[in-house]
Amino acid sequence: MNNSEWPLWEVFIRSKQGLDHKHVGSLHAADAAMAVQNARDVYTRRLEGVSIWVVESKHIHASNPDEAAEFFDPAADKVYRHPTFYDVPDSIKHM
Amino acid sequence: METPTLAPTPEEQFQARIDADVRIEPKDWMPDAYRKTLIRQISQHAHSELVGMLPEGNWITRAPSLRRKSILLAKVQDEAGHGLYLYSAAETLGTTRDQMLADLHSGKAKYSSIFNYPTLSWADMGCVGWLVDGAAILNQVPLCRTSYGPYARAMVRVCKEESFHQRQGFEVMQTLCEGSAVQKEMAQESLNRWWWPTLMMFGPADDASPNTEQSMKWRIKRFTNDELRQKFVDMMVPQAEFLGLTVPDEKLKWNEARQAYDFGEVNWDEFWSVVKGNGMCNHERLQARVQAHEEGAWVREAALAHAEKRQAREAVAVAA
Ligand SMILES: [Fe+2]
Ligand SMILES: [Fe+2]
């Protein structure tokens, strides 16, 4: 009875109206409807959520951690993207 | 002449990340031994949550009130959830749920020996929550900072839920201890049986635990077995005193100089005998697990067949 393992799903939960859905973990389910129901039982037993997203894990594509340094490098030398890069005279208000 | 500096090996880079308290994530490079040790540790932990439902499940239908029954049911359901969080964490390391369950059912994988002791009286529901979950909390809290990201995050969720487990157990004990003489006796008798097996939950003494050093270096373990055991005794003795119960250890004594309790030696022969499968309930627990799994097979297969059929029907509808 092997190879009958249910597919793996990633679970995302919105903890409160107005907040983002956040990844909380994964679970196995035969289909999406069952994944949502199982996610409710596994991840929201104490009102941790007001909305649930499930995505079959095989549909998630990720950046490669071995190339993270080069991949994120373009942002590393652009300090001028941050407001703290600029000196604002003390007498200037509301900026 | 300058000595050439060798580029750090992947192992050295890995250790440097751990030393800097950088979490390791599923797709990061990791030594094989780290992966294997984690799969063993996390799945063993997951199995313990799963098998741990059995001794308490034994009392759900016989809980003395609806309140107690609802609480016990919720606790057992939490333990199922803990097992699921942990299996998911282990799966990120490349093992499968089927493989882990097969290893549990064949006896290849271990689970906590504490669940091979029987739950004979209602007071045992008190002792399991108060002592066993209490010991589990001490083991688990440091694991919230363990080096493997998915494991640490699963432990954060587990720990949030555990403290209710311990409190409800303490409440069961307190109620019995404030009740009739017979009830108090039941509480004491239960403590007598559970105290030593609970101390064994922290694992063999440090000098008999050869893997501790490597696990501490990898930060998948953050305190030694003996350190945690001492902490547990120091924490629990005053609670037992509050309940008016006697801890069954003649050598138990406050050590003013150490600011800690001295206590007797755990019966390690008993510990190893239960680990090796000769505890009172090893056979029964495993059999219950295997039976549940086998009897549920048709449900798993039917759900999958149903999902496939629906998917095929939807594909036809889209094509039309
Ligand atoms: Fe648990
Ligand atoms: Fe628990």
Side-chain angles (χ1 to χ4, degrees):
Chain A
M1 82 122 273
N2 275 316
N3 75 17
S4 66
E5 196 172 89
W6 288 345
L8 190 66
W9 301 75
E10 301 300 322
V11 180
F12 300 81
I13 288 179
R14 184 201 294 286
S15 58
K16 224 164 73 180
Q17 210 57 33
L19 296 182
D20 293 329
H21 283 77
K22 201 173 146 230
H23 183 244
V24 294
S26 53
L27 50 77
H28 288 271
D31 59 21
M34 188 197 272
V36 169
Q37 206 153 57
N38 287 358
R40 179 201 62 188
D41 293 342
V42 178
Y43 293 106
T44 65
R45 285 193 304 283
R46 289 174 176 77
L47 299 173
E48 286 95 338
V50 294
S51 163
I52 294 174
W53 286 353
V54 294
V55 182
E56 219 182 312
S57 308
K58 68 176 183 198
H59 295 309
I60 295 199
H61 302 270
S63 61
N64 182 348
D66 295 335
E67 289 161 10
E70 306 92 279
F71 190 71
F72 293 104
D73 182 64
D77 59 356
K78 297 181 179 61
V79 279
Y80 44 83
R81 281 178 169 159
H82 298 275
T84 45
F85 177 73
Y86 304 90
D87 281 328
V88 178
D90 286 346
S91 56
I92 300 296
K93 301 292 173 213
H94 310 299
M95 189 180 281
Chain B
M1 209 177 91
E2 245 176 67
T3 36
T5 43
L6 292 171
T9 64
E11 280 83 1
E12 285 165 347
Q13 283 177 339
F14 176 82
Q15 190 59 50
R17 292 183 69 185
I18 298 225
D19 293 342
D21 249 330
V22 176
R23 294 281 182 277
I24 308 301
E25 293 297 337
K27 292 195 169 161
D28 295 345
W29 185 88
M30 61 187 84
D32 262 354
Y34 177 82
R35 185 186 300 276
K36 271 195 200 131
T37 306
L38 267 179
I39 289 177
R40 201 192 50 218
Q41 182 175 329
I42 301 174
S43 61
Q44 204 167 318
H45 193 162
H47 298 329
S48 303
E49 303 283 355
L50 212 62
V51 177
M53 289 191 282
L54 298 170
E56 290 184 296
N58 178 38
W59 279 92
I60 290 175
T61 55
R62 291 176 288 157
S65 69
L66 186 56
R67 179 180 184 273
R68 293 282 180 221
K69 187 174 182 160
S70 312
I71 291 173
L72 190 57
L73 205 53
K75 179 185 188 292
V76 171
Q77 196 187 12
D78 273 355
E79 307 301 5
H82 298 174
L84 294 175
Y85 306 153
L86 287 159
Y87 282 126
S88 299
E91 280 171 276
T92 64
L93 289 158
T95 182
T96 65
R97 187 78 55 105
D98 277 349
Q99 184 59 53
M100 287 185 276
L101 289 178
D103 287 347
L104 170 66
H105 297 159
S106 73
K108 186 181 161 212
K110 300 281 174 227
Y111 55 86
S112 179
S113 282
I114 193 76
F115 302 119
N116 290 319
Y117 289 84
T119 43
L120 304 174
S121 74
W122 170 251
D124 288 3
M125 293 303 95
C127 273
V128 169
W130 173 45
L131 298 175
V132 175
D133 286 84
I137 291 171
L138 268 187
N139 264 327
Q140 290 168 349
V141 167
L143 292 176
C144 296
R145 294 181 298 122
T146 199
S147 62
Y148 187 58
Y151 189 23
R153 292 191 287 274
M155 291 320 300
V156 168
R157 256 194 308 276
V158 167
C159 287
K160 266 191 210 156
E161 302 181 351
E162 284 295 349
S163 71
F164 129 66
H165 297 180
Q166 195 189 16
R167 284 183 185 202
Q168 64 84 34
F170 186 78
E171 193 191 68
V172 168
M173 293 306 276
Q174 197 183 348
T175 308
L176 290 173
C177 290
E178 288 167 359
S180 68
V182 178
Q183 285 172 318
K184 180 144 191 198
E185 210 173 288
M186 188 199 277
Q188 180 65 55
E189 189 273 337
S190 178
L191 175 61
N192 293 348
R193 279 183 291 111
W194 288 95
W195 178 256
W196 289 105
T198 309
L199 292 194
M200 296 177 198
M201 282 177 71
F202 299 98
D206 291 350
D207 51 21
S209 177
N211 299 326
T212 294
E213 200 190 328
Q214 180 61 69
S215 291
M216 301 265 289
K217 211 176 143 207
W218 278 335
R219 302 202 181 169
I220 53 183
K221 189 167 180 169
R222 310 213 56 154
F223 294 97
T224 72
N225 298 349
D226 286 336
E227 281 168 354
L228 289 171
R229 198 168 3 251
Q230 178 72 58
K231 242 191 204 180
F232 180 77
V233 172
D234 293 344
M235 212 171 81
M236 294 323 247
V237 172
Q239 295 182 12
E241 276 167 8
F242 174 91
L243 292 172
L245 296 174
T246 309
V247 173
D249 178 356
E250 283 168 5
K251 295 203 175 124
L252 187 75
K253 198 168 163 250
W254 177 251
N255 184 324
E256 191 59 36
R258 280 201 315 125
Q259 286 294 300
Y261 283 93
D262 293 334
F263 56 98
E265 180 78 6
V266 169
N267 181 346
W268 294 116
D269 291 339
E270 177 182 324
F271 172 77
W272 290 114
S273 156
V274 180
V275 168
K276 287 186 183 121
N278 305 317
M280 269 178 275
C281 299
N282 293 58
H283 182 74
E284 188 187 327
R285 300 291 185 237
L286 215 52
Q287 201 197 322
R289 265 308 312 155
V290 171
Q291 190 186 344
H293 190 71
E294 282 173 357
E295 287 178 358
W298 72 271
V299 179
R300 293 191 298 277
E301 282 157 21
L304 208 56
H306 176 70
E308 275 161 13
K309 203 169 84 183
R310 223 170 45 182
Q311 222 168 29
R313 210 182 293 145
E314 273 163 24
V316 169
V318 168

